[in-house]
Coordinates of all heavy atoms in Angstrom, one line a residue:
M12 N 0.8 -1.2 0.0 CA 0.0 0.0 0.0 C 0.9 1.3 0.0 O 0.5 2.3 -0.5 CB -0.9 0.0 1.2 CG -1.9 -1.1 1.2 SD -3.0 -1.0 -0.3 CE -4.4 -0.2 0.4
I13 N 2.1 1.2 0.5 CA 2.9 2.4 0.6 C 3.5 2.6 -0.8 O 3.7 3.8 -1.2 CB 4.0 2.2 1.7 CG1 3.4 2.1 3.0 CG2 5.1 3.3 1.6 CD1 4.4 1.6 4.1
A14 N 3.9 1.5 -1.5 CA 4.5 1.7 -2.8 C 3.6 2.2 -3.9 O 4.0 2.7 -4.9 CB 5.2 0.4 -3.2
A15 N 2.3 2.0 -3.8 CA 1.3 2.3 -4.8 C 1.3 3.8 -5.1 O 1.3 4.2 -6.3 CB -0.1 1.8 -4.4
P16 N 1.2 4.7 -4.1 CA 1.3 6.1 -4.5 C 2.6 6.5 -5.1 O 2.6 7.4 -6.0 CB 1.0 6.8 -3.1 CG 0.4 5.8 -2.3 CD 0.9 4.5 -2.7
I17 N 3.7 5.9 -4.7 CA 4.9 6.3 -5.3 C 5.0 5.8 -6.7 O 5.4 6.6 -7.6 CB 6.1 5.6 -4.5 CG1 6.1 6.2 -3.1 CG2 7.5 5.8 -5.2 CD1 7.0 5.5 -2.1
G18 N 4.5 4.6 -7.0 CA 4.5 4.2 -8.4 C 3.5 5.0 -9.2 O 3.9 5.3 -10.4
G19 N 2.4 5.3 -8.6 CA 1.4 6.2 -9.4 C 2.0 7.5 -9.7 O 1.9 8.0 -10.8
A20 N 2.7 8.1 -8.8 CA 3.3 9.4 -9.0 C 4.4 9.3 -10.1 O 4.6 10.2 -11.0 CB 3.9 10.0 -7.7
G21 N 5.2 8.2 -10.1 CA 6.2 8.0 -11.1 C 5.6 7.9 -12.5 O 6.1 8.4 -13.4
V22 N 4.5 7.1 -12.6 CA 3.9 6.9 -13.9 C 3.3 8.3 -14.4 O 3.5 8.7 -15.5 CB 2.8 5.9 -13.8 CG1 2.0 5.9 -15.1 CG2 3.4 4.5 -13.6
G23 N 2.7 9.0 -13.4 CA 2.1 10.3 -13.8 C 3.2 11.3 -14.2 O 3.0 12.0 -15.3
L24 N 4.3 11.4 -13.5 CA 5.4 12.3 -14.0 C 6.0 11.8 -15.3 O 6.4 12.7 -16.1 CB 6.5 12.3 -12.9 CG 6.2 13.1 -11.6 CD1 7.3 12.9 -10.6 CD2 6.1 14.6 -12.0
T25 N 6.2 10.5 -15.5 CA 6.7 10.0 -16.8 C 5.8 10.4 -17.9 O 6.3 10.9 -19.0 CB 6.9 8.5 -16.7 OG1 7.7 8.2 -15.7 CG2 7.4 7.9 -18.0
L26 N 4.5 10.2 -17.8 CA 3.6 10.6 -18.9 C 3.5 12.1 -19.1 O 3.5 12.6 -20.2 CB 2.1 10.1 -18.5 CG 1.9 8.6 -18.6 CD1 0.6 8.2 -18.1 CD2 2.1 8.1 -20.0
L27 N 3.6 12.9 -18.0 CA 3.5 14.3 -18.2 C 4.8 14.8 -18.9 O 4.7 15.6 -19.8 CB 3.5 15.0 -16.8 CG 3.4 16.4 -16.7 CD1 2.0 16.9 -17.2 CD2 3.7 16.9 -15.3
L28 N 6.0 14.3 -18.5 CA 7.2 14.7 -19.1 C 7.3 14.3 -20.5 O 7.8 15.0 -21.4 CB 8.4 14.3 -18.3 CG 8.6 14.9 -16.9 CD1 9.7 14.3 -16.2 CD2 8.9 16.5 -17.1
F29 N 6.9 13.0 -20.8 CA 6.9 12.5 -22.2 C 6.1 13.3 -23.1 O 6.5 13.7 -24.2 CB 6.4 11.0 -22.1 CG 6.5 10.4 -23.5 CD1 7.7 10.0 -24.1 CD2 5.3 10.2 -24.2 CE1 7.7 9.4 -25.3 CE2 5.3 9.6 -25.5 CZ 6.5 9.2 -26.0
N30 N 4.8 13.7 -22.7 CA 4.0 14.5 -23.5 C 4.6 15.9 -23.7 O 4.4 16.5 -24.8 CB 2.6 14.6 -22.9 CG 1.8 13.3 -23.2 OD1 1.9 12.7 -24.2 ND2 1.0 12.9 -22.2
Y31 N 5.1 16.4 -22.7 CA 5.8 17.8 -22.8 C 6.9 17.7 -23.8 O 7.0 18.6 -24.7 CB 6.3 18.2 -21.4 CG 7.1 19.5 -21.5 CD1 6.6 20.7 -21.7 CD2 8.5 19.4 -21.5 CE1 7.3 21.9 -21.7 CE2 9.3 20.5 -21.5 CZ 8.7 21.7 -21.7 OH 9.4 22.9 -21.8
I32 N 7.7 16.7 -23.8 CA 8.9 16.6 -24.7 C 8.4 16.4 -26.1 O 8.9 17.1 -27.0 CB 9.8 15.4 -24.3 CG1 10.5 15.8 -23.0 CG2 10.8 15.1 -25.4 CD1 11.2 14.7 -22.4
V33 N 7.4 15.6 -26.3 CA 6.8 15.3 -27.7 C 6.2 16.6 -28.2 O 6.5 17.0 -29.4 CB 5.8 14.2 -27.7 CG1 5.0 14.1 -29.0 CG2 6.5 12.9 -27.4
Q34 N 5.5 17.4 -27.4 CA 4.8 18.6 -27.9 C 5.9 19.7 -28.1 O 5.7 20.5 -29.0 CB 3.7 19.0 -27.0 CG 2.6 18.1 -27.0 CD 1.5 18.5 -26.1 OE1 1.5 19.6 -25.5 NE2 0.5 17.7 -25.9
T35 N 6.9 19.7 -27.3 CA 7.9 20.8 -27.4 C 8.8 20.6 -28.6 O 9.1 21.6 -29.3 CB 8.7 20.9 -26.1 OG1 7.8 21.1 -25.0 CG2 9.7 22.1 -26.2
Y36 N 9.3 19.4 -28.8 CA 10.3 19.2 -29.9 C 9.8 18.7 -31.2 O 10.5 18.4 -32.0 CB 11.3 18.2 -29.3 CG 12.1 18.8 -28.2 CD1 11.9 18.5 -26.9 CD2 13.1 19.8 -28.4 CE1 12.6 19.1 -25.8 CE2 13.8 20.4 -27.4 CZ 13.6 20.0 -26.1 OH 14.3 20.6 -25.1
S37 N 8.4 18.6 -31.3 CA 7.8 18.2 -32.6 C 7.4 19.4 -33.4 O 6.9 20.4 -32.8 CB 6.7 17.2 -32.4 OG 7.1 16.0 -31.7
D38 N 7.4 19.3 -34.7 CA 6.8 20.3 -35.5 C 5.4 20.4 -35.3 O 4.7 19.3 -35.2 CB 7.2 20.1 -37.0 CG 8.7 20.2 -37.3 OD1 9.3 20.9 -36.5 OD2 9.1 19.6 -38.3
K39 N 4.8 21.5 -35.4 CA 3.3 21.6 -35.2 C 2.6 20.9 -36.3 O 1.5 20.4 -36.1 CB 2.9 23.1 -35.2 CG 3.5 23.9 -34.1 CD 3.2 23.4 -32.7 CE 3.9 24.2 -31.7 NZ 3.9 23.6 -30.4
E40 N 3.2 20.9 -37.5 CA 2.5 20.3 -38.7 C 2.5 18.7 -38.6 O 1.7 18.1 -39.1 CB 3.2 20.7 -40.0 CG 3.1 22.2 -40.3 CD 4.2 23.0 -39.6 OE1 5.3 22.4 -39.3 OE2 4.0 24.1 -39.4
R41 N 3.5 18.2 -37.9 CA 3.7 16.8 -37.8 C 3.4 16.2 -36.5 O 3.6 15.0 -36.2 CB 5.2 16.4 -38.1 CG 5.5 16.7 -39.6 CD 6.9 16.2 -39.9 NE 7.2 16.6 -41.3 CZ 8.2 17.4 -41.6 NH1 8.9 18.0 -40.7 NH2 8.4 17.7 -42.8
L42 N 2.8 17.0 -35.6 CA 2.4 16.5 -34.2 C 1.6 15.3 -34.2 O 1.7 14.3 -33.5 CB 1.9 17.6 -33.4 CG 1.7 17.4 -31.9 CD1 3.1 17.0 -31.3 CD2 1.1 18.6 -31.2
G43 N 0.5 15.3 -35.1 CA -0.4 14.2 -35.2 C 0.3 12.9 -35.7 O 0.0 11.8 -35.1
K44 N 1.2 13.0 -36.6 CA 2.0 11.9 -37.1 C 2.8 11.3 -36.0 O 3.0 10.1 -35.9 CB 2.8 12.2 -38.3 CG 2.0 12.5 -39.6 CD 2.9 12.8 -40.8 CE 2.1 13.0 -42.0 NZ 2.9 13.3 -43.2
V45 N 3.5 12.2 -35.3 CA 4.3 11.8 -34.2 C 3.6 11.0 -33.2 O 4.0 9.9 -32.7 CB 5.1 13.0 -33.6 CG1 5.9 12.6 -32.3 CG2 6.0 13.6 -34.6
Y46 N 2.4 11.5 -32.7 CA 1.6 10.8 -31.7 C 1.1 9.5 -32.3 O 1.0 8.5 -31.6 CB 0.4 11.7 -31.2 CG 0.8 12.5 -30.1 CD1 0.9 13.9 -30.1 CD2 1.0 11.9 -28.8 CE1 1.3 14.7 -29.1 CE2 1.3 12.7 -27.7 CZ 1.4 14.0 -27.8 OH 1.8 14.8 -26.7
G47 N 0.7 9.5 -33.6 CA 0.3 8.2 -34.2 C 1.3 7.2 -34.2 O 1.1 6.0 -33.9
F48 N 2.5 7.6 -34.5 CA 3.7 6.7 -34.5 C 4.0 6.1 -33.1 O 4.2 4.9 -32.9 CB 4.9 7.4 -35.1 CG 6.1 6.5 -35.2 CD1 6.1 5.5 -36.2 CD2 7.2 6.7 -34.4 CE1 7.2 4.7 -36.4 CE2 8.3 5.8 -34.6 CZ 8.3 4.8 -35.5
I49 N 3.9 7.0 -32.1 CA 4.2 6.7 -30.7 C 3.1 5.7 -30.2 O 3.4 4.7 -29.6 CB 4.3 7.9 -29.8 CG1 5.6 8.6 -30.2 CG2 4.3 7.6 -28.4 CD1 5.7 10.0 -29.5
N50 N 1.9 6.0 -30.5 CA 0.8 5.1 -30.1 C 0.9 3.7 -30.7 O 0.6 2.7 -30.1 CB -0.5 5.8 -30.4 CG -0.9 6.9 -29.4 OD1 -0.4 6.9 -28.3 ND2 -1.7 7.8 -29.8
T51 N 1.3 3.7 -32.0 CA 1.4 2.4 -32.7 C 2.5 1.6 -32.0 O 2.4 0.4 -31.8 CB 1.8 2.6 -34.2 OG1 0.7 3.4 -34.8 CG2 1.9 1.3 -34.9
L52 N 3.7 2.2 -31.7 CA 4.8 1.5 -31.1 C 4.4 1.1 -29.7 O 4.7 -0.1 -29.3 CB 6.0 2.4 -31.1 CG 6.8 2.6 -32.4 CD1 8.0 3.5 -32.1 CD2 7.3 1.3 -32.9
T53 N 3.7 1.9 -29.0 CA 3.3 1.6 -27.6 C 2.4 0.4 -27.6 O 2.5 -0.6 -26.8 CB 2.7 2.8 -26.9 OG1 3.6 3.9 -26.9 CG2 2.2 2.4 -25.5
S54 N 1.4 0.4 -28.5 CA 0.4 -0.8 -28.6 C 1.2 -2.0 -29.0 O 0.9 -3.1 -28.5 CB -0.6 -0.5 -29.7 OG -1.4 0.7 -29.3
A55 N 2.1 -1.9 -29.9 CA 2.9 -3.1 -30.3 C 3.7 -3.7 -29.2 O 3.7 -4.9 -29.0 CB 3.8 -2.8 -31.5
V56 N 4.3 -2.8 -28.4 CA 5.1 -3.3 -27.3 C 4.2 -3.9 -26.2 O 4.5 -5.0 -25.6 CB 5.9 -2.2 -26.7 CG1 6.5 -2.5 -25.3 CG2 7.0 -1.7 -27.6
L57 N 3.0 -3.3 -25.9 CA 2.1 -3.8 -24.9 C 1.5 -5.2 -25.3 O 1.2 -6.0 -24.4 CB 1.0 -2.8 -24.6 CG 1.4 -1.5 -23.9 CD1 0.3 -0.6 -23.8 CD2 2.0 -1.9 -22.5
L58 N 1.4 -5.4 -26.6 CA 0.9 -6.7 -27.1 C 2.0 -7.8 -27.1 O 1.7 -8.9 -26.7 CB 0.3 -6.6 -28.4 CG -1.1 -5.8 -28.5 CD1 -1.5 -5.6 -29.9 CD2 -2.1 -6.6 -27.8
T59 N 3.2 -7.4 -27.5 CA 4.2 -8.4 -27.7 C 5.0 -8.7 -26.5 O 5.6 -9.9 -26.3 CB 5.1 -8.1 -28.9 OG1 5.7 -6.8 -28.6 CG2 4.4 -8.0 -30.2
A60 N 5.2 -7.8 -25.6 CA 6.1 -7.9 -24.4 C 5.7 -9.1 -23.6 O 6.5 -9.9 -23.2 CB 6.2 -6.7 -23.7
P61 N 4.4 -9.2 -23.2 CA 4.0 -10.4 -22.3 C 4.3 -11.8 -23.0 O 4.7 -12.7 -22.4 CB 2.6 -10.2 -22.0 CG 2.3 -8.7 -22.3 CD 3.2 -8.3 -23.3
L62 N 4.0 -11.8 -24.3 CA 4.2 -13.0 -25.0 C 5.7 -13.4 -25.1 O 6.0 -14.5 -24.8 CB 3.6 -13.0 -26.4 CG 2.0 -12.7 -26.4 CD1 1.6 -12.4 -27.8 CD2 1.3 -13.9 -25.8
L63 N 6.5 -12.5 -25.5 CA 7.9 -12.7 -25.6 C 8.5 -13.0 -24.3 O 9.4 -13.8 -24.1 CB 8.6 -11.6 -26.3 CG 8.3 -11.4 -27.8 CD1 8.9 -10.2 -28.4 CD2 8.7 -12.6 -28.6
G64 N 8.1 -12.2 -23.2 CA 8.6 -12.4 -21.9 C 8.3 -13.8 -21.4 O 9.2 -14.4 -20.8
G65 N 7.1 -14.3 -21.6 CA 6.8 -15.6 -21.2 C 7.6 -16.7 -21.9 O 8.1 -17.6 -21.3
M66 N 7.9 -16.4 -23.2 CA 8.7 -17.4 -23.9 C 10.1 -17.4 -23.4 O 10.8 -18.4 -23.2 CB 8.7 -17.1 -25.4 CG 7.4 -17.4 -26.1 SD 7.2 -17.0 -27.8 CE 8.8 -16.8 -28.4
V67 N 10.7 -16.2 -23.1 CA 12.1 -16.1 -22.6 C 12.2 -16.7 -21.3 O 13.2 -17.5 -21.0 CB 12.5 -14.6 -22.6 CG1 13.8 -14.5 -21.9 CG2 12.6 -14.1 -24.0
V68 N 11.2 -16.5 -20.4 CA 11.3 -17.2 -19.0 C 11.2 -18.6 -19.2 O 11.9 -19.4 -18.4 CB 10.1 -16.6 -18.1 CG1 9.9 -17.4 -16.9 CG2 10.4 -15.1 -17.8
K69 N 10.4 -19.1 -20.1 CA 10.2 -20.6 -20.3 C 11.5 -21.2 -20.8 O 11.9 -22.3 -20.3 CB 9.1 -20.8 -21.2 CG 8.7 -22.3 -21.4 CD 7.6 -22.6 -20.4 CE 7.0 -23.9 -20.8 NZ 6.2 -24.4 -19.8
L70 N 12.2 -20.5 -21.7 CA 13.4 -21.0 -22.3 C 14.7 -20.9 -21.4 O 15.4 -21.8 -21.2 CB 13.7 -20.3 -23.6 CG 12.7 -20.6 -24.7 CD1 13.0 -19.8 -26.0 CD2 12.8 -22.1 -25.1
A71 N 14.8 -19.6 -20.8 CA 16.1 -19.4 -20.0 C 15.9 -19.5 -18.5 O 16.9 -19.5 -17.8 CB 16.5 -17.9 -20.4
G72 N 14.7 -19.4 -18.0 CA 14.5 -19.5 -16.6 C 14.3 -18.0 -16.0 O 14.7 -17.1 -16.6
A73 N 13.5 -17.9 -15.0 CA 13.2 -16.6 -14.4 C 14.4 -15.8 -13.9 O 14.5 -14.7 -14.1 CB 12.1 -16.9 -13.3
Q74 N 15.3 -16.5 -13.2 CA 16.4 -15.8 -12.6 C 17.3 -15.2 -13.7 O 17.7 -14.1 -13.6 CB 17.2 -16.7 -11.7 CG 18.3 -16.1 -10.9 CD 19.0 -17.0 -9.9 OE1 18.7 -18.1 -9.9 NE2 19.9 -16.4 -9.1
T75 N 17.6 -16.0 -14.7 CA 18.5 -15.5 -15.8 C 17.8 -14.3 -16.5 O 18.4 -13.3 -16.9 CB 18.8 -16.6 -16.8 OG1 19.3 -17.7 -16.0 CG2 19.7 -16.2 -17.9
T76 N 16.5 -14.5 -16.7 CA 15.7 -13.5 -17.4 C 15.7 -12.1 -16.7 O 16.0 -11.1 -17.2 CB 14.3 -13.9 -17.7 OG1 14.3 -15.1 -18.5 CG2 13.5 -12.9 -18.5
F77 N 15.5 -12.2 -15.4 CA 15.4 -11.0 -14.6 C 16.8 -10.3 -14.4 O 17.0 -9.1 -14.5 CB 14.8 -11.2 -13.2 CG 13.3 -11.3 -13.2 CD1 12.7 -12.5 -13.0 CD2 12.6 -10.2 -13.5 CE1 11.3 -12.6 -13.0 CE2 11.2 -10.3 -13.5 CZ 10.6 -11.5 -13.3
L78 N 17.9 -11.1 -14.3 CA 19.2 -10.7 -14.2 C 19.6 -10.0 -15.5 O 20.2 -8.9 -15.5 CB 20.2 -11.8 -13.9 CG 21.7 -11.4 -13.7 CD1 21.8 -10.4 -12.6 CD2 22.5 -12.6 -13.5
T79 N 19.3 -10.6 -16.7 CA 19.6 -10.0 -18.0 C 18.9 -8.7 -18.1 O 19.4 -7.7 -18.6 CB 19.3 -11.0 -19.1 OG1 19.9 -12.2 -18.9 CG2 19.6 -10.4 -20.4
A80 N 17.6 -8.7 -17.8 CA 16.8 -7.4 -17.9 C 17.4 -6.3 -17.0 O 17.4 -5.1 -17.5 CB 15.3 -7.7 -17.5
A81 N 17.8 -6.6 -15.8 CA 18.4 -5.6 -14.9 C 19.7 -5.1 -15.5 O 19.9 -3.9 -15.4 CB 18.6 -6.3 -13.6
I82 N 20.5 -5.9 -16.1 CA 21.8 -5.5 -16.6 C 21.5 -4.6 -17.8 O 22.1 -3.5 -18.0 CB 22.6 -6.7 -17.1 CG1 23.1 -7.4 -15.8 CG2 23.8 -6.3 -18.0 CD1 23.8 -8.8 -16.1
I83 N 20.5 -4.9 -18.7 CA 20.2 -4.1 -19.8 C 19.6 -2.7 -19.3 O 20.1 -1.7 -19.8 CB 19.1 -4.7 -20.7 CG1 19.8 -6.0 -21.4 CG2 18.5 -3.8 -21.7 CD1 18.8 -6.9 -22.1
I84 N 18.8 -2.7 -18.3 CA 18.2 -1.4 -17.8 C 19.3 -0.5 -17.2 O 19.4 0.7 -17.4 CB 17.1 -1.7 -16.8 CG1 15.9 -2.3 -17.5 CG2 16.7 -0.5 -16.0 CD1 14.8 -2.8 -16.6
V85 N 20.2 -1.2 -16.4 CA 21.3 -0.4 -15.8 C 22.2 0.2 -16.9 O 22.7 1.3 -16.9 CB 22.1 -1.2 -14.8 CG1 23.4 -0.6 -14.4 CG2 21.2 -1.5 -13.6
S86 N 22.5 -0.6 -17.9 CA 23.4 -0.2 -19.0 C 22.7 1.0 -19.8 O 23.4 2.0 -20.1 CB 23.6 -1.4 -20.0 OG 24.3 -2.4 -19.3
V87 N 21.5 0.9 -20.1 CA 20.8 1.9 -20.8 C 20.7 3.2 -20.0 O 21.0 4.3 -20.5 CB 19.4 1.5 -21.2 CG1 18.6 2.7 -21.7 CG2 19.5 0.4 -22.3
G88 N 20.5 3.1 -18.7 CA 20.5 4.2 -17.8 C 21.8 4.9 -17.7 O 21.9 6.1 -17.7
F89 N 22.9 4.1 -17.6 CA 24.2 4.6 -17.5 C 24.6 5.3 -18.8 O 25.2 6.5 -18.8 CB 25.2 3.5 -17.2 CG 26.6 4.0 -17.0 CD1 27.0 4.7 -15.9 CD2 27.6 3.7 -17.9 CE1 28.3 5.1 -15.6 CE2 28.9 4.2 -17.7 CZ 29.3 4.9 -16.6
V90 N 24.3 4.7 -19.9 CA 24.6 5.4 -21.2 C 23.8 6.7 -21.4 O 24.4 7.7 -21.8 CB 24.4 4.4 -22.4 CG1 24.4 5.2 -23.7 CG2 25.4 3.3 -22.4
S91 N 22.6 6.7 -20.9 CA 21.8 7.9 -21.1 C 22.3 9.0 -20.1 O 22.1 10.2 -20.4 CB 20.3 7.6 -20.8 OG 20.1 7.3 -19.5
M92 N 22.9 8.7 -19.0 CA 23.5 9.6 -18.2 C 24.7 10.3 -18.8 O 25.1 11.4 -18.5 CB 23.9 9.1 -16.8 CG 22.6 8.8 -16.0 SD 22.8 8.1 -14.3 CE 24.5 7.9 -14.1
L93 N 25.4 9.5 -19.6 CA 26.6 10.0 -20.2 C 26.4 10.7 -21.5 O 27.3 11.5 -21.9 CB 27.6 8.8 -20.6 CG 28.2 8.0 -19.4 CD1 29.0 6.9 -19.9 CD2 29.0 8.9 -18.5
M94 N 25.2 10.6 -22.1 CA 24.9 11.3 -23.4 C 25.0 12.8 -23.3 O 25.6 13.5 -24.1 CB 23.6 10.9 -23.9 CG 23.5 9.4 -24.3 SD 24.6 9.1 -25.7 CE 23.6 9.7 -27.1
P95 N 24.5 13.4 -22.2 CA 24.6 14.9 -22.1 C 26.1 15.4 -22.0 O 26.4 16.4 -22.5 CB 23.9 15.3 -20.8 CG 22.9 14.2 -20.6 CD 23.6 13.0 -21.2
L96 N 27.0 14.6 -21.4 CA 28.4 14.9 -21.3 C 29.0 14.9 -22.7 O 29.8 15.8 -23.1 CB 29.1 13.9 -20.4 CG 28.6 13.9 -19.0 CD1 29.4 12.8 -18.2 CD2 28.9 15.2 -18.3
R97 N 28.6 14.0 -23.6 CA 29.2 13.8 -24.9 C 28.6 15.0 -25.7 O 29.4 15.6 -26.5 CB 28.7 12.5 -25.6 CG 29.3 12.3 -26.9 CD 28.6 11.2 -27.6 NE 27.3 11.7 -27.9 CZ 26.6 11.4 -28.9 NH1 27.1 10.5 -29.8 NH2 25.4 11.8 -29.1
D98 N 27.4 15.4 -25.5 CA 26.8 16.5 -26.3 C 27.5 17.9 -25.9 O 27.8 18.7 -26.8 CB 25.3 16.7 -26.0 CG 24.5 15.6 -26.7 OD1 25.1 14.9 -27.6 OD2 23.4 15.3 -26.3
K99 N 27.9 18.0 -24.6 CA 28.6 19.2 -24.2 C 30.0 19.3 -24.9 O 30.4 20.4 -25.3 CB 28.7 19.3 -22.7 CG 27.4 19.7 -22.0 CD 27.7 19.7 -20.5 CE 26.4 20.1 -19.8 NZ 26.5 20.2 -18.3
Q100 N 30.6 18.2 -24.9 CA 32.0 18.2 -25.5 C 31.9 18.5 -27.0 O 32.7 19.2 -27.5 CB 32.6 16.8 -25.3 CG 33.0 16.5 -23.9 CD 33.5 15.1 -23.6 OE1 33.4 14.3 -24.5 NE2 34.0 14.9 -22.5
E101 N 30.9 18.0 -27.7 CA 30.8 18.3 -29.1 C 30.4 19.7 -29.4 O 30.8 20.3 -30.4 CB 29.7 17.4 -29.8 CG 30.2 15.9 -29.8 CD 29.1 15.0 -30.4 OE1 28.0 15.6 -30.7 OE2 29.3 13.8 -30.5
R102 N 29.6 20.3 -28.5 CA 29.3 21.8 -28.7 C 30.5 22.7 -28.5 O 30.5 23.8 -29.1 CB 28.2 22.1 -27.8 CG 26.8 21.8 -28.3 CD 25.7 22.3 -27.4 NE 25.0 21.2 -26.8 CZ 24.5 21.1 -25.7 NH1 24.7 22.1 -24.8 NH2 23.9 20.0 -25.3
N103 N 31.4 22.3 -27.7 CA 32.5 23.2 -27.5 C 33.6 23.1 -28.5 O 34.6 23.9 -28.5 CB 33.2 22.8 -26.1 CG 32.3 23.1 -25.0 OD1 31.5 24.1 -25.0 ND2 32.4 22.4 -23.8
V104 N 33.5 22.3 -29.5 CA 34.5 22.2 -30.5 C 34.3 23.3 -31.5 O 33.2 23.6 -32.0 CB 34.4 20.8 -31.3 CG1 35.3 20.8 -32.5 CG2 34.6 19.7 -30.3
Q105 N 35.3 24.0 -31.9 CA 35.2 25.1 -32.8 C 35.9 24.7 -34.1 O 37.0 24.1 -34.1 CB 35.9 26.4 -32.3 CG 35.2 27.0 -31.1 CD 35.9 28.2 -30.5 OE1 37.0 28.5 -31.0 NE2 35.3 28.8 -29.6
I106 N 35.3 25.1 -35.2 CA 35.8 24.7 -36.5 C 36.3 26.0 -37.2 O 35.6 27.0 -37.4 CB 34.7 24.1 -37.4 CG1 34.2 22.8 -36.7 CG2 35.2 23.8 -38.8 CD1 33.1 22.1 -37.4
N107 N 37.6 26.0 -37.5 CA 38.2 27.2 -38.2 C 38.3 26.8 -39.7 O 38.9 25.9 -40.1 CB 39.6 27.5 -37.6 CG 39.5 27.9 -36.2 OD1 38.5 28.6 -35.8 ND2 40.5 27.5 -35.4
A108 N 37.7 27.7 -40.5 CA 37.8 27.4 -41.9 C 38.6 28.4 -42.6 O 38.9 29.5 -42.3 CB 36.3 27.5 -42.5

């Protein structure tokens, strides 16, 4: 019961920030196409993830599957934390012609 409000707040913040980013960085003319594409991908993931997850757990076992998923999530998080540092370094490069 304690974790439910925390999880709900996390989902709410994620949806809010995601919609803000999509509306801010998309062209006004293509906003409908962007949302259509995002909804299509989201629906495809929501349909296929449980099926593929069940197959992977059946083949590799639950412990291996969860460990692999955790390693992937930590790796993606670490790389995404390093991306702003790389962008800052690229912006500071001056080209003399």
Side-chain angles (χ1 to χ4, degrees):
M12 293 303 258
I13 295 171
I17 296 170
V22 170
L24 284 173
T25 301
L26 289 174
L27 183 74
L28 291 173
F29 181 75
N30 284 322
Y31 172 77
I32 290 169
V33 169
Q34 290 180 8
T35 302
Y36 293 103
S37 296
D38 293 335
K39 301 297 179 199
E40 298 84 27
R41 295 191 181 110
L42 190 58
K44 288 182 181 182
V45 170
Y46 269 112
F48 185 71
I49 290 169
N50 285 336
T51 300
L52 286 177
T53 303
S54 297
V56 167
L57 288 175
L58 288 174
T59 58
L62 299 173
L63 292 176
M66 288 177 15
V67 171
V68 168
K69 188 89 164 169
L70 293 173
Q74 186 174 5
T75 305
T76 302
F77 282 111
L78 182 62
T79 304
I82 290 170
I83 291 171
I84 289 170
V85 168
S86 300
V87 169
F89 185 70
V90 168
S91 67
M92 287 179 0
L93 292 178
M94 293 298 280
L96 297 176
R97 186 193 66 148
D98 290 342
K99 283 182 181 179
Q100 290 173 351
E101 288 178 1
R102 276 187 242 142
N103 290 332
V104 174
Q105 294 179 355
I106 299 173
N107 295 325

